[in-house]
Protein backbone atom coordinates (compact mmCIF):
# COMPACT_ATOMS: atom_id res chain seq x y z
CA UNK A 1 0.00 0.00 0.00
CA UNK A 2 1.29 3.48 -0.84
CA UNK A 3 2.31 5.49 2.19
CA UNK A 4 0.74 8.83 3.01
CA UNK A 5 2.97 11.40 4.59
CA UNK A 6 2.61 15.04 5.57
CA UNK A 7 5.27 17.70 5.96
CA UNK A 8 4.11 20.58 8.14
CA UNK A 9 6.12 23.82 8.44
CA UNK A 10 5.03 26.95 10.27
CA UNK A 11 5.04 30.19 8.28
CA UNK A 12 7.61 32.84 9.28
CA UNK A 13 7.73 31.10 12.64
CA UNK A 14 9.68 33.44 14.96
CA UNK A 15 8.05 36.51 13.43
CA UNK A 16 4.57 34.99 13.68
CA UNK A 17 5.04 34.24 17.38
CA UNK A 18 5.95 37.92 17.88
CA UNK A 19 2.88 38.99 15.89
CA UNK A 20 0.58 36.88 18.05
CA UNK A 21 1.98 38.64 21.11
CA UNK A 22 1.87 42.03 19.44
CA UNK A 23 -1.00 42.08 16.88
CA UNK A 24 -0.21 45.55 15.57
CA UNK A 25 2.81 43.97 13.86
CA UNK A 26 0.56 41.81 11.67
CA UNK A 27 0.67 42.54 7.96
CA UNK A 28 3.89 44.57 8.33
CA UNK A 29 7.54 43.98 7.50
CA UNK A 30 9.01 42.41 10.63
CA UNK A 31 12.41 40.83 11.23
CA UNK A 32 13.54 38.66 14.13
CA UNK A 33 17.28 38.37 14.64
CA UNK A 34 18.39 41.48 16.39
CA UNK A 35 18.51 45.22 16.15
CA UNK A 36 19.76 46.55 12.81
CA UNK A 37 22.80 48.29 14.27
CA UNK A 38 24.03 45.03 15.77
CA UNK A 39 26.02 42.39 14.02
CA UNK A 40 24.08 39.30 13.23
CA UNK A 41 21.73 37.98 10.63
CA UNK A 42 18.02 37.71 9.95
CA UNK A 43 16.58 34.60 11.61
CA UNK A 44 13.04 35.06 10.36
CA UNK A 45 11.39 37.64 8.10
CA UNK A 46 7.67 38.23 7.63
CA UNK A 47 6.35 37.73 4.10
CA UNK A 48 5.85 41.51 3.89
CA UNK A 49 9.57 41.94 4.60
CA UNK A 50 10.45 39.26 2.05
CA UNK A 51 8.82 41.40 -0.61
CA UNK A 52 11.81 43.76 -0.10
CA UNK A 53 14.26 40.90 -0.67
CA UNK A 54 14.89 40.10 2.99
CA UNK A 55 15.54 36.48 3.90
CA UNK A 56 16.98 34.30 6.66
CA UNK A 57 20.75 34.49 6.89
CA UNK A 58 21.00 38.04 5.45
CA UNK A 59 23.14 40.41 7.55
CA UNK A 60 20.94 42.74 9.60
CA UNK A 61 22.72 45.77 8.21
CA UNK A 62 21.77 44.75 4.64
CA UNK A 63 18.20 44.02 5.76
CA UNK A 64 17.97 47.48 7.27
CA UNK A 65 19.28 49.11 4.11
CA UNK A 66 16.73 47.27 1.92
CA UNK A 67 13.79 47.80 4.26
CA UNK A 68 14.45 50.53 6.84
CA UNK A 69 10.77 50.68 7.81
CA UNK A 70 10.79 47.08 9.09
CA UNK A 71 10.40 46.41 12.80
CA UNK A 72 13.53 44.65 14.07
CA UNK A 73 13.09 42.37 17.07
CA UNK A 74 15.81 40.74 19.13
CA UNK A 75 13.76 37.60 19.70
CA UNK A 76 13.50 35.27 22.64
CA UNK A 77 14.35 31.63 22.22
CA UNK A 78 12.38 30.31 25.25
CA UNK A 79 9.21 31.78 23.75
CA UNK A 80 9.78 30.00 20.43
CA UNK A 81 10.67 26.78 22.18
CA UNK A 82 7.40 26.91 24.14
CA UNK A 83 5.39 27.56 20.93
CA UNK A 84 7.25 24.71 19.25
CA UNK A 85 6.36 22.30 22.04
CA UNK A 86 2.68 23.20 21.73
CA UNK A 87 2.87 22.81 17.94
CA UNK A 88 4.41 19.33 18.23
CA UNK A 89 1.82 18.35 20.86
CA UNK A 90 -0.98 19.23 18.43
CA UNK A 91 0.62 17.13 15.69
CA UNK A 92 1.09 14.20 18.09
CA UNK A 93 -2.68 14.29 18.73
CA UNK A 94 -3.25 13.52 15.05
CA UNK A 95 -0.76 10.70 14.57
CA UNK A 96 1.77 8.96 16.80
CA UNK A 97 4.16 8.65 13.85
CA UNK A 98 5.71 12.07 14.31
CA UNK A 99 9.22 13.15 13.35
CA UNK A 100 10.11 16.69 14.44
CA UNK A 101 12.78 18.07 12.12
CA UNK A 102 13.32 21.48 13.64
CA UNK A 103 11.38 23.78 15.95
CA UNK A 104 8.70 24.56 13.39
CA UNK A 105 8.81 21.60 11.04
CA UNK A 106 7.78 17.95 11.23
CA UNK A 107 6.84 14.90 9.21
CA UNK A 108 3.74 12.91 10.07
CA UNK A 109 2.99 9.44 8.72
CA UNK A 110 -0.77 9.35 8.26
CA UNK A 111 -1.14 6.18 6.18
CA UNK A 112 -4.64 4.79 6.70
CA UNK A 113 -5.95 7.83 8.59
CA UNK A 114 -8.37 8.87 5.83
CA UNK A 115 -11.03 6.62 7.38
CA UNK A 116 -11.12 8.93 10.42
CA UNK A 117 -11.13 12.29 8.63
CA UNK A 118 -12.81 11.46 5.31
CA UNK A 119 -9.56 12.13 3.44
CA UNK A 120 -5.96 13.00 4.19
CA UNK A 121 -6.62 16.42 2.71
CA UNK A 122 -9.44 16.98 5.24
CA UNK A 123 -7.10 15.81 7.98
CA UNK A 124 -4.53 18.44 6.94
CA UNK A 125 -7.26 21.09 6.97
CA UNK A 126 -8.14 20.03 10.54
CA UNK A 127 -4.47 20.22 11.60
CA UNK A 128 -4.08 23.71 10.13
CA UNK A 129 -7.29 24.85 11.85
CA UNK A 130 -6.12 23.64 15.24
CA UNK A 131 -2.74 25.29 14.91
CA UNK A 132 -4.46 28.54 13.96
CA UNK A 133 -7.07 28.31 16.73
CA UNK A 134 -4.72 27.32 19.55
CA UNK A 135 -1.47 29.06 18.62
CA UNK A 136 -2.61 31.76 16.21
CA UNK A 137 0.02 30.57 13.73
CA UNK A 138 -0.14 29.81 10.02
CA UNK A 139 1.16 26.47 8.79
CA UNK A 140 1.82 25.04 5.34
CA UNK A 141 1.32 21.37 4.63
CA UNK A 142 2.51 19.09 1.84
CA UNK A 143 0.93 15.66 1.37
CA UNK A 144 2.52 12.91 -0.73
CA UNK A 145 3.72 9.32 -0.72
CA UNK A 146 7.29 10.11 0.32
CA UNK A 147 9.14 12.63 2.47
CA UNK A 148 11.05 14.55 -0.18
CA UNK A 149 7.92 15.28 -2.22
CA UNK A 150 5.95 16.42 0.87
CA UNK A 151 8.78 18.80 1.77
CA UNK A 152 8.90 20.36 -1.69
CA UNK A 153 5.10 20.60 -1.74
CA UNK A 154 4.76 22.38 1.61
CA UNK A 155 7.49 24.85 0.68
CA UNK A 156 5.86 25.55 -2.67
CA UNK A 157 2.45 26.14 -1.07
CA UNK A 158 3.68 28.77 1.43
CA UNK A 159 2.32 30.79 3.13
CA UNK A 160 -0.82 29.25 4.67
CA UNK A 161 -0.70 26.55 2.00
CA UNK A 162 -1.90 23.02 1.50
CA UNK A 163 -0.76 20.97 -1.46
CA UNK A 164 -1.39 17.30 -2.13
CA UNK A 165 0.57 15.38 -4.75
CA UNK A 166 -1.37 12.31 -5.85
CA UNK A 167 0.35 8.91 -5.83
CA UNK A 168 1.92 8.33 -9.24
CA UNK A 169 2.28 12.09 -9.92
CA UNK A 170 5.47 12.61 -7.90
CA UNK A 171 7.84 12.84 -10.82
CA UNK A 172 5.65 15.01 -13.02
CA UNK A 173 5.00 17.34 -10.07
CA UNK A 174 8.73 17.87 -9.47
CA UNK A 175 9.81 17.94 -13.11
CA UNK A 176 9.22 21.64 -14.00
CA UNK A 177 10.59 22.98 -10.70
CA UNK A 178 14.04 24.48 -10.26
CA UNK A 179 16.64 22.08 -8.82
CA UNK A 180 17.05 24.53 -5.94
CA UNK A 181 13.66 23.37 -4.63
CA UNK A 182 15.14 19.98 -3.71
CA UNK A 183 16.36 19.75 -0.13
CA UNK A 184 20.13 19.71 0.21
CA UNK A 185 20.92 21.73 -2.91
CA UNK A 186 22.92 24.74 -1.82
CA UNK A 187 24.65 27.38 -3.93
CA UNK A 188 27.65 25.19 -4.65
CA UNK A 189 25.69 22.16 -5.86
CA UNK A 190 23.44 24.44 -7.89
CA UNK A 191 26.47 25.94 -9.66
CA UNK A 192 27.84 22.50 -10.54
CA UNK A 193 24.43 21.35 -11.78
CA UNK A 194 23.96 24.49 -13.86
CA UNK A 195 27.41 23.89 -15.30
CA UNK A 196 26.18 20.49 -16.47
CA UNK A 197 23.20 22.20 -18.12
CA UNK A 198 20.79 21.11 -15.39
CA UNK A 199 18.32 23.75 -14.20
CA UNK A 200 15.09 21.90 -13.53
CA UNK A 201 14.44 18.77 -11.52
CA UNK A 202 13.24 17.22 -14.79
CA UNK A 203 16.69 17.86 -16.35
CA UNK A 204 18.24 16.20 -13.34
CA UNK A 205 16.00 13.13 -13.54
CA UNK A 206 17.17 12.23 -17.04
CA UNK A 207 20.88 12.38 -16.20
CA UNK A 208 22.67 9.02 -16.11
CA UNK A 209 23.19 7.88 -12.54
CA UNK A 210 26.91 7.38 -13.21
CA UNK A 211 27.36 11.04 -14.20
CA UNK A 212 25.75 12.27 -10.99
CA UNK A 213 27.77 9.81 -8.92
CA UNK A 214 31.01 10.94 -10.51
CA UNK A 215 30.25 14.57 -9.60
CA UNK A 216 28.59 14.19 -6.22
CA UNK A 217 29.54 10.74 -4.90
CA UNK A 218 26.86 9.10 -2.76
CA UNK A 219 24.84 12.33 -2.73
CA UNK A 220 24.59 11.96 -6.53
CA UNK A 221 22.57 8.79 -6.05
CA UNK A 222 20.31 10.52 -3.55
CA UNK A 223 19.74 13.42 -5.97
CA UNK A 224 18.95 11.04 -8.79
CA UNK A 225 16.30 9.31 -6.67
CA UNK A 226 14.88 12.58 -5.34
CA UNK A 227 14.54 13.97 -8.86
CA UNK A 228 12.30 11.00 -9.70
CA UNK A 229 10.21 11.50 -6.58
CA UNK A 230 11.69 8.43 -4.90
CA UNK A 231 12.51 8.54 -1.18
CA UNK A 232 12.18 5.44 0.97
CA UNK A 233 13.09 7.09 4.25
CA UNK A 234 10.62 6.39 7.04
CA UNK A 235 9.02 8.92 9.34
CA UNK A 236 11.00 8.21 12.48
CA UNK A 237 10.76 9.41 16.05
CA UNK A 238 13.66 11.69 16.97
CA UNK A 239 16.91 10.06 17.94
CA UNK A 240 18.41 11.32 21.17
CA UNK A 241 20.86 14.16 20.70
CA UNK A 242 24.43 12.97 20.54
CA UNK A 243 25.91 16.25 21.65
CA UNK A 244 24.94 19.54 23.27
CA UNK A 245 26.60 22.86 22.51
CA UNK A 246 26.13 26.54 23.18
CA UNK A 247 27.92 29.45 21.57
CA UNK A 248 27.82 33.20 21.26
CA UNK A 249 29.33 35.99 19.21
CA UNK A 250 30.76 39.00 21.07
CA UNK A 251 29.51 42.50 20.34
CA UNK A 252 33.18 43.37 19.83
CA UNK A 253 36.05 41.00 19.18
CA UNK A 254 38.05 40.47 22.36
CA UNK A 255 41.11 38.86 23.89
CA UNK A 256 40.20 39.86 27.42
CA UNK A 257 40.67 36.63 29.39
CA UNK A 258 38.19 37.49 32.12
CA UNK A 259 35.49 38.22 29.55
CA UNK A 260 36.23 35.05 27.65
CA UNK A 261 36.22 33.01 30.85
CA UNK A 262 33.01 34.61 32.14
CA UNK A 263 31.28 33.73 28.90
CA UNK A 264 32.70 30.23 28.95
CA UNK A 265 31.49 29.81 32.53
CA UNK A 266 27.96 30.84 31.57
CA UNK A 267 27.86 28.54 28.54
CA UNK A 268 29.25 25.67 30.66
CA UNK A 269 26.52 26.19 33.24
CA UNK A 270 23.88 26.05 30.53
CA UNK A 271 25.32 22.80 29.22
CA UNK A 272 25.65 21.26 32.68
CA UNK A 273 22.05 22.12 33.40
CA UNK A 274 20.91 20.54 30.09
CA UNK A 275 22.90 17.40 30.82
CA UNK A 276 21.38 17.03 34.27
CA UNK A 277 17.91 17.72 32.95
CA UNK A 278 18.35 14.91 30.45
CA UNK A 279 19.95 12.64 33.03
CA UNK A 280 23.15 12.33 30.99
CA UNK A 281 26.86 12.69 31.52
CA UNK A 282 29.50 13.53 28.91
CA UNK A 283 32.93 12.11 28.18
CA UNK A 284 34.11 14.70 25.70
CA UNK A 285 34.34 18.51 25.99
CA UNK A 286 34.73 20.61 22.84
CA UNK A 287 35.79 24.25 22.62
CA UNK A 288 35.00 26.28 19.53
CA UNK A 289 36.58 29.63 18.71
CA UNK A 290 36.10 31.90 15.75
CA UNK A 291 38.78 34.53 15.35
CA UNK A 292 38.43 38.04 13.98
CA UNK A 293 39.28 36.87 10.44
CA UNK A 294 36.53 34.21 10.69
CA UNK A 295 38.96 31.29 10.97
CA UNK A 296 37.14 28.76 13.13
CA UNK A 297 38.83 26.12 15.23
CA UNK A 298 37.58 23.36 17.53
CA UNK A 299 39.63 21.63 20.22
CA UNK A 300 38.47 18.69 22.25
CA UNK A 301 39.45 16.85 25.37
CA UNK A 302 38.27 13.45 26.58
CA UNK A 303 37.56 13.27 30.29
CA UNK A 304 38.81 10.34 32.33
CA UNK A 305 35.37 10.02 33.86
CA UNK A 306 32.05 11.10 32.35
CA UNK A 307 30.66 14.18 34.06
CA UNK A 308 27.64 16.49 34.18
CA UNK A 309 29.29 19.10 36.36
CA UNK A 310 29.43 22.77 35.30
CA UNK A 311 32.82 23.07 36.94
CA UNK A 312 34.38 20.14 35.07
CA UNK A 313 33.07 21.38 31.73
CA UNK A 314 34.29 24.89 32.51
CA UNK A 315 37.73 23.82 33.77
CA UNK A 316 38.28 21.69 30.68
CA UNK A 317 37.07 24.53 28.47
CA UNK A 318 39.49 26.98 30.11
CA UNK A 319 42.40 24.61 29.57
CA UNK A 320 41.53 24.26 25.89
CA UNK A 321 41.06 28.03 25.64
CA UNK A 322 44.48 28.75 27.15
CA UNK A 323 46.13 26.32 24.77
CA UNK A 324 44.35 27.79 21.76
CA UNK A 325 45.12 31.41 22.68
CA UNK A 326 48.79 30.60 23.16
CA UNK A 327 48.91 29.53 19.51
CA UNK A 328 46.97 32.44 18.02
CA UNK A 329 47.34 36.16 18.51
CA UNK A 330 44.06 37.31 16.95
CA UNK A 331 41.03 38.54 18.86
CA UNK A 332 38.08 36.21 19.38
CA UNK A 333 34.80 36.84 17.62
CA UNK A 334 32.81 33.82 18.80
CA UNK A 335 33.22 31.35 21.62
CA UNK A 336 31.36 28.08 22.06
CA UNK A 337 31.54 25.02 24.20
CA UNK A 338 29.99 21.63 23.71
CA UNK A 339 29.92 18.11 25.08
CA UNK A 340 29.61 14.79 23.28
CA UNK A 341 29.98 11.05 23.96
CA UNK A 342 26.92 11.23 26.18
CA UNK A 343 26.36 8.33 28.54
CA UNK A 344 24.00 7.31 31.29
CA UNK A 345 25.34 8.51 34.64
CA UNK A 346 27.45 6.07 36.63
CA UNK A 347 25.10 4.20 38.95
CA UNK A 348 26.49 5.26 42.29
CA UNK A 349 28.89 7.96 43.30
CA UNK A 350 31.79 6.74 45.32
CA UNK A 351 30.48 7.02 48.87
CA UNK A 352 33.92 8.00 50.07
CA UNK A 353 34.08 10.86 47.60
CA UNK A 354 32.36 13.48 49.73
CA UNK A 355 33.34 16.38 47.50
CA UNK A 356 31.64 14.73 44.52
CA UNK A 357 28.52 14.18 46.57
CA UNK A 358 28.53 17.75 47.79
CA UNK A 359 28.93 18.98 44.23
CA UNK A 360 26.03 16.86 43.07
CA UNK A 361 23.80 18.23 45.84
CA UNK A 362 24.85 21.77 45.00
CA UNK A 363 24.11 21.28 41.29
CA UNK A 364 20.68 19.88 42.11
CA UNK A 365 19.85 22.79 44.38
CA UNK A 366 20.96 25.32 41.75
CA UNK A 367 18.94 23.57 39.03
CA UNK A 368 15.88 23.57 41.28
CA UNK A 369 16.06 27.31 41.95
CA UNK A 370 16.74 28.09 38.29
CA UNK A 371 13.79 25.98 37.14
CA UNK A 372 11.61 27.93 39.51
CA UNK A 373 12.92 31.49 39.18
CA UNK A 374 14.81 31.58 35.88
CA UNK A 375 18.39 30.92 34.90
CA UNK A 376 19.90 34.18 36.12
CA UNK A 377 18.32 33.83 39.59
CA UNK A 378 21.66 32.35 40.64
CA UNK A 379 24.87 33.65 39.21
CA UNK A 380 28.36 32.58 39.98
CA UNK A 381 30.92 35.29 40.67
CA UNK A 382 32.44 34.82 37.27
CA UNK A 383 29.31 35.16 35.18
CA UNK A 384 28.27 38.42 36.88
CA UNK A 385 30.72 40.08 34.52
CA UNK A 386 28.41 39.20 31.66
CA UNK A 387 25.90 41.79 32.80
CA UNK A 388 27.88 44.35 30.83
CA UNK A 389 28.13 42.15 27.74
CA UNK A 390 24.71 40.64 27.17
CA UNK A 391 21.12 41.52 27.79
CA UNK A 392 19.77 39.53 30.73
CA UNK A 393 16.25 38.11 30.48
CA UNK A 394 14.27 35.80 32.71
CA UNK A 395 15.57 32.74 30.96
CA UNK A 396 19.19 33.83 30.99
CA UNK A 397 21.44 36.03 28.93
CA UNK A 398 20.45 36.66 25.35
CA UNK A 399 23.30 35.27 23.30
CA UNK A 400 24.16 36.42 19.82
CA UNK A 401 23.93 33.42 17.56
CA UNK A 402 22.72 33.20 13.98
CA UNK A 403 20.14 30.59 14.90
CA UNK A 404 19.24 32.16 18.23
CA UNK A 405 20.08 28.77 19.69
CA UNK A 406 19.66 28.65 23.44
P1 LIG B 1 12.12 28.30 8.56
O1 LIG B 1 10.94 27.39 8.60
O2 LIG B 1 13.18 28.01 7.57
O3 LIG B 1 11.66 29.80 8.27
P2 LIG B 1 10.35 30.57 8.73
O4 LIG B 1 9.45 29.71 9.53
O5 LIG B 1 10.77 31.85 9.38
O6 LIG B 1 9.67 30.96 7.36
P3 LIG B 1 8.92 29.99 6.31
O7 LIG B 1 8.94 28.61 6.87
O8 LIG B 1 7.54 30.53 6.19
O9 LIG B 1 9.70 30.11 5.04
O10 LIG B 1 12.80 28.36 9.97
C1 LIG B 1 12.04 28.31 11.17
C2 LIG B 1 12.61 29.24 12.20
O11 LIG B 1 13.96 28.88 12.48
C3 LIG B 1 12.63 30.69 11.77
O12 LIG B 1 11.42 31.36 12.06
C4 LIG B 1 13.80 31.23 12.53
C5 LIG B 1 14.73 30.05 12.71
N1 LIG B 1 15.85 30.17 11.76
C6 LIG B 1 17.02 30.77 12.20
O13 LIG B 1 17.13 31.15 13.37
N2 LIG B 1 18.05 30.94 11.31
C7 LIG B 1 17.95 30.54 10.01
O14 LIG B 1 18.90 30.71 9.22
C8 LIG B 1 16.73 29.92 9.56
C9 LIG B 1 16.57 29.47 8.12
C10 LIG B 1 15.72 29.77 10.47
MG1 LIG C 1 8.90 27.77 8.83
Amino acid sequence: MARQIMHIDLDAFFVSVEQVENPELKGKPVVVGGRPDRRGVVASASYEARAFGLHAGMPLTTACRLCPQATFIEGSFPKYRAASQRFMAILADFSPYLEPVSLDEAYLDVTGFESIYGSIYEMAVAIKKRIKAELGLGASVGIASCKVVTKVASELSKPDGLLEVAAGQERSFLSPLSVTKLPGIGNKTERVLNGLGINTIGNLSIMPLTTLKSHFGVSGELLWHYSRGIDDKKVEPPAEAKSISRETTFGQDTRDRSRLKATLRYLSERIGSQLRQRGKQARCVILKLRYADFTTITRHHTLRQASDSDQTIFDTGVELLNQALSQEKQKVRLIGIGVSSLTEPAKQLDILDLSAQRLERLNKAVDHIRNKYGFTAIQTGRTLLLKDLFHSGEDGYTLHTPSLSR
Side-chain angles (χ1 to χ4, degrees):
M1 187 167 118
R3 295 182 298 158
Q4 290 196 286
I5 297 172
M6 281 185 200
H7 178 259
I8 306 113
D9 188 298
L10 298 174
D11 301 326
F13 177 43
F14 288 6
V15 162
S16 303
V17 171
E18 298 296 336
Q19 288 170 325
V20 168
E21 198 176 278
N22 208 344
E24 65 263 33
L25 293 176
K26 284 190 182 162
K28 294 189 180 149
V30 179
V31 168
V32 170
R35 270 183 263 123
D37 52 333
R38 294 270 184 84
R39 341 206 229 219
V41 294
V42 174
S44 177
S46 67
Y47 281 78
E48 291 77 9
R50 290 183 206 191
F52 291 85
L54 275 56
H55 58 77
M58 173 183 274
L60 288 168
T61 44
T62 314
C64 184
R65 190 158 41 75
L66 293 174
C67 186
Q69 69 273 41
T71 305
F72 289 85
I73 301 170
E74 191 95 47
S76 144
F77 192 82
K79 218 160 49 185
Y80 310 139
R81 186 176 45 204
S84 170
Q85 281 165 353
R86 292 176 66 200
F87 164 59
M88 295 297 173
I90 292 176
L91 298 184
D93 271 354
F94 281 87
S95 165
Y97 309 109
L98 168 69
E99 179 181 332
V101 181
S102 68
L103 282 181
D104 82 327
E105 177 188 356
Y107 290 101
L108 211 53
D109 192 319
V110 293
T111 311
F113 281 63
E114 60 276 9
S115 55
I116 308 174
Y117 296 92
S119 68
I120 298 300
Y121 191 93
E122 286 305 318
M123 182 180 182
V125 171
I127 292 176
K128 278 165 59 84
K129 266 194 190 145
R130 251 194 84 185
I131 295 170
K132 190 80 195 170
E134 291 180 24
L135 305 179
L137 301 175
S140 296
V141 182
I143 306 170
S145 64
C146 68
K147 283 166 114 178
V148 68
V149 178
T150 60
K151 170 125 180 142
V152 175
S154 73
E155 176 69 32
L156 204 67
S157 75
K158 275 180 171 293
D160 195 20
L162 173 48
L163 185 55
E164 180 169 12
V165 179
Q169 301 297 308
E170 295 84 356
R171 190 169 171 178
S172 54
F173 161 71
L174 294 175
S175 187
L177 304 175
S178 155
V179 282
T180 55
K181 299 286 179 199
L182 284 180
I185 299 203
N187 291 341
K188 216 168 128 191
T189 312
E190 185 194 0
R191 271 200 303 277
V192 178
L193 287 172
N194 291 350
L196 292 167
I198 300 169
N199 298 299
T200 65
I201 300 177
N203 294 155
L204 183 61
S205 72
I206 54 174
M207 290 302 282
L209 180 56
T210 45
T211 311
L212 294 179
K213 270 187 171 169
S214 69
H215 279 91
F216 304 105
V218 277
S219 311
E221 197 165 345
L222 193 69
L223 281 181
W224 187 80
H225 281 105
Y226 278 4
S227 68
R228 291 157 180 251
I230 301 167
D231 178 8
D232 293 333
K233 283 195 294 301
K234 292 201 184 76
V235 174
E236 289 193 281
E240 269 208 70
K242 293 194 174 67
S243 64
I244 305 173
S245 64
R246 298 287 181 271
E247 64 183 47
T248 187
T249 310
F250 292 103
Q252 278 179 335
D253 301 343
T254 181
R255 263 190 89 86
D256 181 323
R257 296 272 174 140
S258 50
R259 278 189 172 201
L260 290 167
K261 282 188 185 169
T263 310
L264 203 55
R265 174 76 210 185
Y266 177 69
L267 298 173
S268 303
E269 288 177 10
R270 298 232 67 142
I271 289 185
S273 126
Q274 268 288 308
L275 277 173
R276 295 188 293 276
Q277 203 179 326
R278 292 198 202 163
K280 295 278 183 196
Q281 295 190 336
R283 281 291 303 279
C284 185
V285 177
I286 307 130
L287 176 82
K288 172 175 168 183
L289 292 176
R290 180 166 300 142
Y291 292 108
D293 71 349
F294 280 81
T295 323
T296 307
I297 61 145
T298 57
R299 296 283 180 266
H300 70 271
H301 177 81
T302 304
L303 302 171
R304 255 186 297 156
Q305 212 177 354
S307 170
D308 60 7
S309 137
D310 303 350
Q311 190 67 37
T312 307
I313 299 166
F314 173 65
D315 289 342
T316 313
V318 169
E319 248 175 69
L320 294 170
L321 175 70
N322 288 337
Q323 283 164 20
L325 290 183
S326 68
Q327 291 158 4
E328 176 60 63
K329 296 285 161 272
Q330 284 194 72
K331 286 185 175 173
V332 175
R333 176 184 171 86
L334 169 150
I335 190 166
I337 185 143
V339 290
S340 66
S341 301
L342 305 189
T343 60
E344 302 300 322
K347 283 279 172 292
Q348 186 87 58
L349 282 174
D350 186 345
I351 48 163
L352 292 177
D353 190 351
L354 287 176
S355 63
Q357 286 188 36
R358 255 204 309 274
L359 195 62
E360 194 192 56
R361 275 207 304 278
L362 174 69
N363 280 333
K364 273 202 178 124
V366 170
D367 289 342
H368 179 72
I369 293 172
R370 283 178 166 167
N371 282 336
K372 217 162 161 183
Y373 301 107
F375 202 88
T376 39
I378 292 190
Q379 302 203 36
T380 52
R382 221 185 261 285
T383 62
L384 275 173
L385 222 178
L386 296 177
K387 278 206 311 240
D388 303 330
L389 285 182
F390 299 109
H391 170 74
S392 159
E394 188 181 309
D395 201 70
Y397 290 106
T398 307
L399 303 178
H400 306 300
T401 57
S403 62
L404 282 173
S405 64
R406 292 151 279 185

